Amino acid sequence: MDKIQNFLFKNQAFLYKLFLFVFTLSLMVYFFPKGKQFKYEIIKNKSWQYKALYAPFDFAVLKSDKEIEEEENQIKSNYIPVYNYNQELAQEKINSSVEAFNSFSEDSLSIDYQVALNDFIKEQTQAVYLFGVRNEKRKPYANEIIYLKKENLIQEVSFEQIQPIEKALDEIESNFRATNLETDVSYIISFFEDFLKANVSYNKSENKTLLDQEISRISPSKGLVKQGELIIDQGQIIDTEKYQLLVSLKEKYSLINHSEANQIIVNLGQIILLAMAVLMLLLFIKQYRFSIYDNNKQLTFILFNVLVIFFLNLLVLKLNPNYIYLVPICILPITLKAFFDARLGLFTHVITVLILGFIVPNSYEYMFLQIIAGIVTILSVPELYKRANLFISVGQITLVYLVSYVAFTMIQEGSIFEINQLNLLLFVLSGIGLLFVQPLIYSYEKIFGLVSDLSLLELSDTNNKLLKELSDKAPGTLHHSLNVANLAEASANEIGANSLLVRVGALYHDIGKMYDAFYFTENQTTAVNPHNDLPPKESAKIIIGHRMKGIEMAKKNKIPDRIIDFIRTHHGTTSVYYFYKKQQKLTPNEVSIEDFQYPGPKPFSKETAILMMSDSVEAASKSIKEPTASVIENFVDKIIDKQIEEKQFVNANITFREIESVKKVLKQKLKNIYHLRVEYPD
């Protein structure tokens, strides 16, 4: 039992990575679409590169989306709408018309005249309600026909025969003027205005249901291919007809129920391919980004993002495959670049797209568009913390999507007018979705404890709490840190390192000096030096201790680990040489260099290496009494060459050429600080 516990304890990091790999793979395999994959790539208007293909079984030839859409449009254009006729209301109006008119009329009329007038009222009411009265005021189309539904009877009538109330009143007025009745016509019209009610209505939901029923009866197929028939020969161009045959075969192929043994083999193949894809990602991270591989939290974050994109695409495919381009997949490389670097972001994006290529329709087109968009994403988002950059980048990514898709359509359809307008809209919406990457990054920072350029920008503000405290307690140290930040930032820009990260690291690298600030030269404002009253070992302990105190203070103030790394490494394993030599004079036989040496670790990135060089050069430059160009150049070379000799940069991915570039920048910056000019000959 103890052996098992010891084994688990010693290998817990590896076991977690193994669990992470198996968990990610299991989720993908479980939700991966089941069934055999069609083994041919179908690209319209390209030649068939495979051998002659014969139908392996009988299958129906599916209609294209365009053909089905044309049939739907034809049904819609030929559809005769149904209007409901309220028979009860019509009969009630006809039966009560005379009684209502007599109640409305207050004049005493002769019996004969009253009878004639009543007959006119009833006759007009019957005429109006013969086909009914409608509320719709629109004009009928030419020869427009509708179905008039009277209870269980449906009658085909001209829409013009169903009058709006205004037209019915006009006809009644015209008919009344043609009679010999002498009553004021406005009196009659006034009655009918109050009396007539619309009894014909258009039921939108009912008509939609009827129309949908007709559309649902459209046959999805238009023919049958028998087993053994030649579908396409090698070298033939995949024209519209051949394309539809191949698509129909692919669709039928996915619906075939395979045997259990076959399904096991299919699942095994899926496991192998997905395992290879995820394994390649992990091996890349281990080989080229070991610090990330070694950090389980960061590794979990990367695989989590891959799974999020994977499941978003699966969800859209399940709901409607036509909306696959709606998923803003380029959020993945933007996010990873914000927290790590462009190379990792692009590699992860490509692996994710390759995985999705197994399940999306038109996989070649999809993978090409998404990989190109991913490359543009990496190239076009230089500084995410600048809001304008994000909008510009989104515009560029969307434009690349649109141009690439139009080019594919031109190749496949041979026409620029056959472009799927829906996909163009989806690309635009996907671009808009990328704008939500900033709140997403903020959420990730809080959940996973990571740091992005947005957080770095906040930390670089010298008005924040910790830097203001440093300014109050150790103003000289803050001034030194600002000078180091400027030198380090310029050096990072020269060799393509993360300039914002190294600047923030420089601002915080000496925050531990605010404890015992007076023991550090830059904070001593008088000629009194407290180290004169201390043994060299004690002085060295105070100087070396600022590193650990800085780490503790940074953690207490929730400074991100990427910044704390600069505090840990900015002295590497160098020694406090001044006090070592001082102790050596006092006790030459009892001195040990380890007592005067920083515990490390050594810098392990370009940024931390740059800070070490900039910090050493800036601090030591204060000792130059008569600075000249040659003195400064020799001075910088001496300090950095000594660090190289002590192997301070062996763990950092920085080359000798890049170190020489950093030297060049530091020399130039120091010359500018000391306002040196060209030395003219006498």
Side-chain angles (χ1 to χ4, degrees):
M1 187 67 181
D2 290 339
K3 288 182 178 180
I4 295 174
Q5 288 179 341
N6 289 335
F7 173 80
L8 293 175
F9 180 77
K10 288 179 180 178
N11 297 280
Q12 58 181 329
F14 171 76
L15 292 173
Y16 179 80
K17 290 175 178 63
L18 182 62
F19 163 77
L20 201 60
F21 172 75
V22 173
F23 178 74
T24 303
L25 183 62
S26 301
L27 278 178
M28 286 185 172
V29 171
Y30 182 79
F31 289 99
F32 213 73
K34 302 299 183 280
K36 293 166 78 173
Q37 297 287 318
F38 192 64
K39 62 181 179 180
Y40 302 110
E41 185 69 35
I42 309 167
I43 304 176
K44 202 171 181 183
N45 288 332
K46 286 194 71 177
S47 60
W48 183 254
Q49 301 295 324
Y50 313 99
K51 63 182 181 179
L53 179 63
Y54 294 88
F57 39 70
D58 295 351
F59 67 92
V61 180
L62 301 175
K63 294 175 183 174
S64 67
D65 292 340
K66 186 178 179 181
E67 288 173 322
I68 291 177
E69 185 181 355
E70 286 175 354
E71 288 192 38
E72 286 182 4
N73 290 336
Q74 188 175 4
I75 288 174
K76 289 175 183 176
S77 63
N78 294 333
Y79 175 73
I80 299 176
V82 176
Y83 281 75
N84 292 325
Y85 181 94
N86 190 332
Q87 182 73 46
E88 186 178 342
L89 177 62
Q91 198 60 52
E92 179 193 335
K93 289 294 181 184
I94 292 169
N95 293 339
S96 65
S97 57
V98 173
E99 184 180 345
F101 178 72
N102 290 334
S103 299
F104 180 80
S105 173
E106 297 177 356
D107 297 334
S108 332
L109 303 173
S110 65
I111 295 175
D112 292 340
Y113 188 80
Q114 185 70 48
V115 169
L117 199 55
N118 288 346
D119 289 343
F120 175 82
I121 295 297
K122 187 162 188 175
E123 179 186 310
Q124 292 304 308
T125 305
Q126 288 174 335
V128 166
Y129 284 105
L130 178 62
F131 295 106
V133 181
R134 58 184 167 90
N135 277 327
E136 280 185 284
K137 295 181 180 180
R138 70 174 179 85
K139 293 183 179 180
Y141 310 123
N143 302 318
E144 183 178 358
I145 300 297
I146 66 158
Y147 287 129
L148 194 61
K149 185 178 179 183
K150 296 182 177 181
E151 296 180 342
N152 295 325
L153 178 67
I154 294 180
Q155 180 182 4
E156 185 179 295
V157 300
S158 169
F159 185 68
E160 205 168 13
Q161 292 177 286
I162 305 170
Q163 299 175 326
I165 291 178
E166 291 78 4
K167 189 176 178 183
L169 293 173
D170 290 343
E171 281 202 15
I172 292 171
E173 182 179 352
S174 177
N175 293 337
F176 186 78
R177 292 184 187 280
T179 65
N180 294 322
L181 299 172
E182 296 178 355
T183 304
D184 185 2
V185 67
S186 61
Y187 185 74
I188 301 299
I189 297 305
S190 179
F191 163 73
F192 276 108
E193 280 179 347
D194 294 336
F195 181 71
L196 293 181
K197 301 293 180 188
N199 75 317
V200 174
S201 60
Y202 177 80
N203 190 321
K204 187 176 181 180
S205 61
E206 181 183 5
N207 278 278
K208 185 180 183 304
T209 302
L210 292 170
L211 184 58
D212 289 343
Q213 286 176 355
E214 288 195 38
I215 290 174
S216 67
R217 285 194 283 268
I218 296 175
S219 172
S221 61
K222 59 180 179 181
L224 184 69
V225 176
K226 292 286 188 181
Q227 183 177 355
E229 283 187 31
L230 177 65
I231 298 174
I232 190 169
D233 205 351
Q234 188 173 10
Q236 273 190 291
I237 298 296
I238 306 175
D239 57 17
T240 303
E241 182 182 349
K242 297 293 184 186
Y243 179 81
Q244 206 55 40
L245 286 173
L246 291 167
V247 168
S248 303
L249 175 61
K250 182 179 180 179
E251 184 69 21
K252 177 69 175 179
Y253 199 84
S254 65
L255 297 174
I256 293 176
N257 291 322
H258 303 286
S259 66
E260 189 174 337
N262 258 352
Q263 190 58 51
I264 291 172
I265 294 172
V266 169
N267 290 342
L268 182 61
Q270 290 177 347
I271 292 171
I272 293 171
L273 287 176
L274 289 172
M276 287 178 64
V278 178
L279 188 61
M280 289 306 104
L281 177 59
L282 293 177
L283 290 176
F284 172 86
I285 297 172
K286 183 179 181 181
Q287 182 71 24
Y288 297 103
R289 301 290 183 272
F290 187 78
S291 60
I292 297 174
Y293 179 82
D294 199 40
N295 189 316
N296 286 335
K297 184 186 290 186
Q298 293 181 357
L299 201 60
T300 303
F301 172 74
I302 293 169
L303 292 179
F304 170 78
N305 276 274
V306 171
L307 286 174
V308 167
I309 296 297
F310 177 77
F311 284 115
L312 275 176
N313 279 272
L314 275 184
L315 178 63
V316 172
L317 284 171
K318 187 174 182 181
L319 296 175
N320 191 337
N322 293 326
Y323 291 93
I324 189 63
Y325 288 120
L326 181 62
V327 180
I329 190 174
C330 288
I331 276 183
L332 178 62
I334 293 177
T335 304
L336 296 186
K337 183 183 177 183
F339 288 116
F340 306 111
D341 60 80
R343 192 176 178 188
L344 177 61
L346 181 59
F347 192 87
T348 307
H349 176 74
V350 170
I351 290 292
T352 307
V353 171
L354 290 176
I355 291 172
L356 294 173
F358 290 123
I359 59 176
V360 297
N362 300 321
S363 56
Y364 177 78
E365 175 189 294
Y366 178 86
M367 289 192 293
F368 182 90
L369 291 175
Q370 298 295 6
I371 290 174
I372 289 293
I375 293 171
V376 172
T377 301
I378 292 298
L379 295 176
S380 66
V381 189
E383 294 170 320
L384 189 61
Y385 60 87
K386 295 181 179 178
R387 287 174 294 180
N389 283 353
L390 181 60
F391 284 95
I392 293 169
S393 299
V394 166
Q396 292 173 340
I397 294 163
T398 305
L399 182 62
V400 166
Y401 269 131
L402 296 175
V403 171
S404 302
Y405 180 72
V406 169
F408 260 102
T409 303
M410 291 166 68
I411 293 171
Q412 295 174 356
E413 303 294 342
S415 169
I416 200 169
F417 301 106
E418 299 295 328
I419 295 173
N420 187 334
Q421 303 291 332
L422 173 63
N423 281 343
L424 297 182
L425 176 62
L426 294 178
F427 288 132
V428 173
L429 293 176
S430 175
I432 294 172
L434 292 177
L435 295 174
F436 290 94
V437 72
Q438 285 192 337
L440 183 66
I441 287 173
Y442 179 79
S443 302
Y444 281 155
E445 286 179 334
K446 300 305 177 187
I447 296 170
F448 290 93
L450 298 170
V451 58
S452 70
D453 285 354
L454 296 170
S455 293
L456 291 176
L457 190 64
E458 292 177 3
L459 290 169
S460 68
D461 184 5
T462 54
N463 287 315
N464 71 49
K465 180 184 175 183
L466 197 54
L467 293 182
K468 280 184 74 68
E469 187 179 354
L470 180 64
S471 175
D472 293 337
K473 294 181 178 179
T477 297
L478 179 63
H479 182 260
H480 159 72
S481 298
L482 287 168
N483 288 338
V484 173
N486 292 332
L487 293 173
E489 183 178 25
S491 302
N493 283 326
E494 182 68 21
I495 66 171
N498 189 330
S499 59
L500 182 60
L501 175 63
V502 77
R503 178 175 183 82
V504 176
L507 290 174
Y508 289 85
H509 79 286
D510 270 346
I511 56 172
K513 288 183 179 180
M514 70 175 72
Y515 291 106
D516 303 321
F518 193 57
Y519 284 89
F520 297 91
T521 309
E522 65 266 23
N523 298 311
Q524 293 170 2
T525 56
T526 66
V528 178
N529 188 340
H531 290 290
N532 295 335
D533 301 325
L534 293 175
K537 273 190 181 182
E538 189 66 29
S539 294
K541 185 179 178 182
I542 292 171
I543 299 299
I544 293 171
H546 86 274
R547 172 191 160 277
M548 183 53 69
K549 289 175 180 176
I551 293 171
E552 291 171 356
M553 185 174 291
K555 287 183 175 179
K556 183 180 178 182
N557 286 271
K558 297 181 180 179
I559 300 297
D561 285 341
R562 286 180 79 185
I563 306 305
I564 295 176
D565 287 340
F566 288 91
I567 304 175
R568 287 192 182 100
T569 62
H570 73 280
H571 285 294
T573 56
T574 59
S575 58
V576 188
Y577 197 68
Y578 173 82
F579 292 109
Y580 170 68
K581 296 302 288 184
K582 192 174 179 181
Q583 182 68 42
Q584 203 174 39
K585 289 179 182 179
L586 295 174
T587 56
N589 299 322
E590 298 177 12
V591 63
S592 172
I593 189 67
E594 286 80 10
D595 295 332
F596 297 86
Q597 200 170 31
Y598 284 93
K602 295 176 180 179
F604 47 77
S605 66
K606 286 182 183 180
E607 289 77 16
T608 50
I610 289 170
L611 178 63
M612 172 180 270
M613 290 184 269
S614 303
D615 181 43
S616 302
V617 166
E618 202 284 332
S621 69
K622 300 295 189 294
S623 65
I624 302 176
K625 292 184 173 62
E626 296 180 4
T628 64
S630 59
V631 167
I632 286 176
E633 289 188 4
N634 292 332
F635 166 79
V636 171
D637 286 335
K638 180 182 176 182
I639 289 178
I640 296 179
D641 288 346
K642 188 172 187 296
Q643 291 173 338
I644 295 172
E645 185 182 332
E646 292 177 351
K647 298 182 179 180
Q648 295 298 324
F649 307 130
V650 291
N651 296 332
N653 59 335
I654 190 168
T655 64
F656 284 114
R657 176 178 290 180
E658 289 170 334
I659 291 174
E660 289 300 319
S661 297
V662 171
K663 281 184 181 180
K664 182 180 176 182
V665 172
L666 294 176
K667 291 171 184 176
Q668 186 59 49
K669 287 288 182 183
L670 285 179
K671 289 175 187 176
N672 293 339
I673 290 171
Y674 286 106
H675 306 291
L676 297 181
R677 302 190 179 193
V678 176
E679 297 177 10
Y680 294 99
D682 294 334

